């Protein structure tokens, strides 16, 4: 009887106080979403988003139990008083001119005293980056949309970008309490036109080598959106299989879009075989029309000759027929390219202009890069050229990379702008809207925010002939070995006069035999 009492107390402690009507609802939620967009060039873009929101102030509350939010990131927020974190790994270049504006936007910063910005333009993205990224997901890669994240398929694409975004979100209008939001995003572009043997058809299995079987049991929302804006029901030139039960229409990136919705939490979506393989087929070949140019796109290149001086050039295109808008241009240039800020020129429609705002932070050798930020006005239907001269520095021989003749990569320019919209957007409830809708904040209904990146540059620096030191070392070592070795032998060797030997055992035996025979000895 005495042993049964502690057991009963233990059961009560595990079950909690008796008398509560209902268990406390969880304070964290998970939403997962996949958006598939056929691109005008024949490629297919797939964008994954996994959003975990936790109603807890990690910097003020002492948290010991983690359910959906990763513990490693929660401890990082608490220990270092983190305000926001945006980390992305990208391989390839988003071709804005042919694919349109990028679907995922980069983070924004305003307070320079707390902002830290860094770029590794040549970092190689591989499986070692994807595996820990998937481990941050509540369902890992076991269920839900994450089962499509197969490494050998994701990295054989024209464009691949994975990111982690952490930020605080206000729970109410006065922002008296906050929640922490973790958003994991992954965007890839498949060349479906090549894999489909000249057709623009695609399917989930063809892109990912897998299909959807079940939603993540921890997710409150699990949906797949397919862009069917070009679907013409009258001509029936496009077939989507299985047919969607519901659609969603809204203004995205300034244009009206129509999306087919497949809710994985709806048991009718996943058929009796527990398999969902979305397919899109063209019944008749689509017309190869030139895709319309986005209102804002840019490109960057280096001009000049020789290995001493050069010019950084950035072309900014505003293709809107009658509206002008400003663009914020940010450049982070390594210290070994010494910028001449007084040579900065901005030319548009054959006339020079000046930036509305300039912020420049000079570089320090081997400590920090140049930081140049400008606000530039782009006239309607124009191409604006921004150029600045630079001088190449000569590095120490230990600072060169193992392949110095390949060149050095320069991080891309960052463009931020409020681009005019073709269709006015209406106010929406962000919590009731799809996750991709929150990627495009707008100050009003006539414009939307866009952030673009130019190409990274490859610049050659004055490089010494690294074969000459090798030759000199080999020649020097050979001369030293021959000369010093001979001289050392002369100084340390001792010479002795050797007396002629009287003979050995064989000679003595021969003399004994000769004496016995009466012959004179040798």
């Amino acid at each position: 009887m005495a042993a049964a009492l502690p057991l009963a107390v233990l059961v009560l402690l595990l079950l909690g106080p008796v008398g509560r009507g209902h268990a406390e609802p969880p304070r964290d939620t998970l939403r997962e979403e996949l958006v598939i967009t056929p691109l005008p060039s024949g490629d297919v873009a797939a964008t994954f988003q996994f959003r975990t929101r936790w109603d807890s102030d990690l910097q003020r509350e002492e948290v010991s139990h983690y359910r959906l939010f990763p513990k490693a990131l929660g401890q990082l927020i608490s220990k270092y008083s983190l305000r926001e974190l945006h980390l992305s790994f990208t391989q390839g270049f988003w071709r804005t001119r042919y694919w349109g504006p990028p679907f995922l936007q980069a983070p924004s910063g305003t307070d320079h005293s707390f902002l830290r910005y860094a770029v590794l333009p040549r970092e190689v993205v591989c499986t070692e980056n994807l595996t820990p990224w998937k481990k941050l997901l509540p369902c890992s890669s076991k269920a839900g949309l994450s089962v499509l994240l197969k490494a050998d398929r994701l990295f054989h694409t024209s464009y691949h970008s994975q990111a982690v975004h952490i930020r605080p979100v206000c729970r109410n209008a006065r922002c008296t309490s906050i929640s922490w939001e973790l958003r994991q995003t992954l965007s890839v572009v498949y060349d479906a036109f090549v894999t489909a043997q000249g057709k623009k058809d695609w399917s989930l299995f063809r892109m990912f080598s897998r299909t959807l079987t079940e939603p993540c049991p921890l997710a409150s929302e699990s949906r797949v959106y397919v862009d069917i804006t070009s679907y013409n029901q009258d001509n029936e030139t496009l077939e989507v299989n299985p047919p969607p039960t519901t659609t969603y229409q809204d203004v995205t990136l300034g244009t009206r879009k129509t999306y087919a919705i497949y809710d994985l939490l709806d048991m009718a979506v996943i058929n009796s075989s527990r398999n969902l393989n979305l397919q899109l087929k063209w019944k008749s070949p689509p017309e190869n029309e030139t895709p319309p140019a986005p209102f804002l796109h840019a490109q960057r290149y280096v001009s000049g000759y020789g290995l001493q001086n050069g010019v950084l050039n950035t072309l900014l295109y505003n293709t809107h027929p009658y509206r002008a808008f400003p663009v914020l241009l940010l450049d982070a240039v390594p210290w070994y390219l010494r910028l001449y800020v007084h040579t900065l020129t901005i030319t548009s429609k054959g006339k020079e202009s000046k930036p509305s705002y300039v912020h420049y932070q000079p570089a320090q050798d081997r400590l920090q890069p140049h930081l140049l930020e400008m606000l530039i006005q782009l006239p309607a239907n124009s191409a604006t050229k921004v150029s600045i001269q630079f001088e190449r520095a000569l590095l120490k021989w230990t600072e060169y990379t193992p392949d110095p003749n390949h060149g050095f990569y320069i991080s891309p320019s960052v463009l931020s702008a409020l681009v005019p919209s073709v269709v006015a957007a209406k106010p929406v409830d962000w919590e009731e809207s799809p996750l991709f809708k929150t990627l495009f904040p707008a100050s009003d209904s006539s414009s939307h925010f866009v952030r673009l990146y130019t190409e990274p540059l490859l610049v050659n620096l004055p490089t010494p002939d690294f074969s000459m030191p090798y030759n000199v070392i080999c020649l020097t070592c050979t001369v030293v070995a021959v000369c010093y070795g001979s001289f050392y032998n002369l100084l340390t060797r001792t010479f002795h006069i050797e007396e002629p030997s009287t003979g050995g055992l064989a000679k003595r035996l021969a003399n004994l035999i000769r004496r016995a025979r009466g012959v004179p000895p040798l």
Side-chain angles (χ1 to χ4, degrees), residues 252-322:
T252 303
L253 290 173
T255 58
R256 188 170 299 279
K257 298 284 187 178
T258 303
Y259 296 92
I261 302 178
Y262 298 89
D263 191 352
L264 299 185
L265 298 180
D266 186 1
M267 299 305 298
V269 173
I270 300 180
N271 52 28
S272 58
S273 61
R274 299 183 62 84
N275 187 318
L276 177 61
N277 183 24
L278 299 180
Q279 300 178 7
L280 185 143
K281 297 182 180 179
W282 293 87
K283 294 185 177 180
S284 60
E287 298 180 359
N288 294 326
E289 299 179 356
T290 304
F295 287 156
L296 175 64
H297 61 280
Q299 59 183 143
R300 198 182 188 201
Y301 61 94
V302 176
S303 61
Y305 58 91
L307 293 177
Q308 182 177 3
N309 299 319
V311 182
L312 285 177
N313 302 281
T314 305
L315 294 178
L316 311 177
Y317 296 93
N318 175 12
T319 61
H320 199 282
Y322 56 87

Side-chain angles (χ1 to χ4, degrees), residues 114-135:
F114 295 99
L115 177 64
R116 301 293 182 267
Y117 174 76
V119 180
L120 291 176
R122 201 188 173 187
E123 182 69 17
V124 178
V125 183
C126 60
T127 309
E128 295 177 355
N129 304 120
L130 180 64
T131 301
W133 185 89
K134 291 193 295 185
K135 290 183 179 180

Side-chain angles (χ1 to χ4, degrees), residues 334-340 365 370 389-394:
W335 64 268
Y336 46 78
L337 297 185
R338 293 165 178 166
L339 299 181
Y340 296 146
D365 287 359
H370 302 270
Q389 298 180 13
F390 65 89
E391 179 184 357
R392 296 173 172 89
L394 183 62

Side-chain angles (χ1 to χ4, degrees), residues 498-511 515 521-522:
E498 184 177 358
E499 297 293 338
S501 61
T502 59
L505 178 62
K507 186 176 180 180
R508 290 196 297 269
L509 289 176
N511 290 332
R515 287 194 190 100
L522 297 174

Side-chain angles (χ1 to χ4, degrees), residues 135-150:
K135 290 183 179 180
L136 297 177
L137 299 174
C139 288
S140 185
S141 58
K142 307 299 182 182
L145 300 178
S146 58
V147 299
L148 301 178
L149 304 179
K150 194 176 180 182

Side-chain angles (χ1 to χ4, degrees), residues 170-447:
C170 296
R171 299 188 205 173
N172 48 43
R174 300 182 60 185
C175 203
T176 56
S177 58
I178 64 172
S179 303
W180 281 96
E181 178 186 271
L182 167 64
R183 184 172 301 208
Q184 297 177 243
T185 62
L186 188 145
S187 181
V188 292
V189 176
Y190 286 92
D191 195 344
F193 189 76
V194 174
T195 58
Q197 298 180 354
K199 299 180 181 179
K200 294 186 178 181
D201 303 340
W202 59 264
S203 66
L204 287 183
F205 185 80
R206 181 174 295 170
M207 291 190 297
F208 303 102
S209 296
R210 292 178 180 176
T211 57
L212 296 173
T213 56
E214 60 179 345
C216 174
L218 300 175
S220 60
E221 180 180 303
S222 180
R223 293 182 177 181
V224 179
Y225 293 84
V226 180
D227 188 353
I228 56 173
T229 306
S230 58
Y231 178 79
N232 192 341
Q233 192 172 7
D234 297 333
N235 299 331
E236 295 185 351
T237 58
L238 188 66
E239 179 183 357
V240 182
N241 187 33
T245 57
T246 58
T247 59
Y248 173 78
Q249 292 185 354
D250 206 343
V251 178
T252 303
L253 290 173
T255 58
R256 188 170 299 279
K257 298 284 187 178
T258 303
Y259 296 92
I261 302 178
Y262 298 89
D263 191 352
L264 299 185
L265 298 180
D266 186 1
M267 299 305 298
V269 173
I270 300 180
N271 52 28
S272 58
S273 61
R274 299 183 62 84
N275 187 318
L276 177 61
N277 183 24
L278 299 180
Q279 300 178 7
L280 185 143
K281 297 182 180 179
W282 293 87
K283 294 185 177 180
S284 60
E287 298 180 359
N288 294 326
E289 299 179 356
T290 304
F295 287 156
L296 175 64
H297 61 280
Q299 59 183 143
R300 198 182 188 201
Y301 61 94
V302 176
S303 61
Y305 58 91
L307 293 177
Q308 182 177 3
N309 299 319
V311 182
L312 285 177
N313 302 281
T314 305
L315 294 178
L316 311 177
Y317 296 93
N318 175 12
T319 61
H320 199 282
Y322 56 87
R323 284 193 60 177
F325 54 87
V327 170
L328 188 64
L329 177 64
L330 175 65
D331 266 332
V333 183
W335 64 268
Y336 46 78
L337 297 185
R338 293 165 178 166
L339 299 181
Y340 296 146
V341 184
H342 69 280
T343 64
L344 176 65
T345 57
I346 301 176
T347 307
S348 180
K349 292 185 176 182
K351 299 180 180 179
E352 291 191 6
S353 60
K354 294 183 178 180
S356 305
Y357 163 80
V358 175
H359 170 73
Y360 174 68
Q361 180 177 340
Q364 297 182 18
D365 287 359
R366 298 171 181 85
L367 293 179
Q368 69 179 22
H370 302 270
L371 181 63
L372 180 61
E373 190 175 18
M374 297 176 288
L375 184 63
I376 304 172
Q377 298 291 332
L378 301 184
N381 196 17
S382 66
T384 303
K385 181 179 179 181
V386 181
S387 60
I388 185 172
Q389 298 180 13
F390 65 89
E391 179 184 357
R392 296 173 172 89
L394 183 62
L395 304 180
K396 298 179 180 179
W397 72 275
T398 56
E399 295 175 343
Y400 286 91
T401 58
D403 52 347
N405 292 306
H406 178 75
F408 291 77
Y409 284 88
I410 310 301
S411 60
S413 300
V414 185
L415 285 79
S416 306
L418 290 175
V419 179
S421 301
V422 178
V423 182
K426 298 180 180 179
V428 296
D429 185 0
W430 298 111
E431 288 301 320
E432 299 297 330
S433 302
L435 292 178
F436 67 86
K437 185 64 179 176
T438 62
L439 298 175
F440 317 114
S443 59
D444 52 37
S445 60
S446 62
S447 61

